[in-house]
Amino acid sequence: MTGKLTTHVLDISIGKPAYGVLIELVRIGSHKEIEFLQAIYTNEDGRLNQPLLEGDNMKKGIYELHFYIGDYYRNRGATTEDPSFLDCVPVRFGISEPASHYHVPLLISPGGYSTYRGS
């Protein structure tokens, strides 16, 4: 089995996938240094067209996903506070088994979010 890292974003305020959310992936080093890996936008299904990491790029370590939720709501024309209550939602997690599938979904609304390790 080849390991991979995937995500998706659901906007529970409208009950639909969140299209066009900018997501950044970074790796946190042993001395807390941050290594930028990539930036990508969600598609119409709130997912990515390919895994964030897979195969040999899946390495044991600490990672962080940055979900730019404030921009998503502003781009949708949603009425939000100024500044938005949620702007960038960081989710820090560890990969301990690089051969496994790690799925990190994000459920969002203008006033809150939830995440978990999915399948």
Side-chain angles (χ1 to χ4, degrees):
M1 172 188 220
T2 299
K4 63 183 175 179
L5 171 63
T6 58
T7 188
H8 75 274
V9 184
L10 297 175
D11 185 344
I12 60 174
S13 71
I14 59 172
K16 295 183 178 178
Y19 169 71
V21 175
L22 174 61
I23 301 171
E24 292 178 343
L25 174 64
V26 300
R27 181 179 295 128
I28 311 298
S30 58
H31 299 290
K32 305 299 183 211
E33 68 276 10
I34 295 172
E35 177 188 1
F36 175 83
L37 298 178
Q38 67 170 302
I40 192 165
Y41 287 88
T42 57
N43 63 22
E44 298 81 14
D45 196 32
R47 297 179 183 276
L48 305 177
N49 292 329
Q50 66 274 338
L52 286 157
L53 296 173
E54 64 183 324
D56 292 339
N57 291 322
M58 283 286 288
K59 294 179 173 45
K60 195 176 204 178
I62 302 296
Y63 294 82
E64 203 167 81
L65 288 168
H66 300 156
F67 296 88
Y68 287 87
I69 302 308
D71 290 342
Y72 162 77
Y73 281 113
R74 281 187 291 279
N75 291 339
R76 276 194 50 236
T79 303
T80 61
E81 300 167 325
D82 185 21
S84 298
F85 175 66
L86 293 177
D87 184 43
C88 175
V89 173
V91 177
R92 187 173 285 197
F93 60 96
I95 292 178
S96 59
E97 299 175 10
S100 294
H101 181 191
Y102 285 78
H103 185 66
V104 184
L106 190 71
L107 309 177
I108 61 167
S109 72
Y113 66 91
S114 178
T115 189
Y116 55 94
R117 182 174 177 188
S119 57

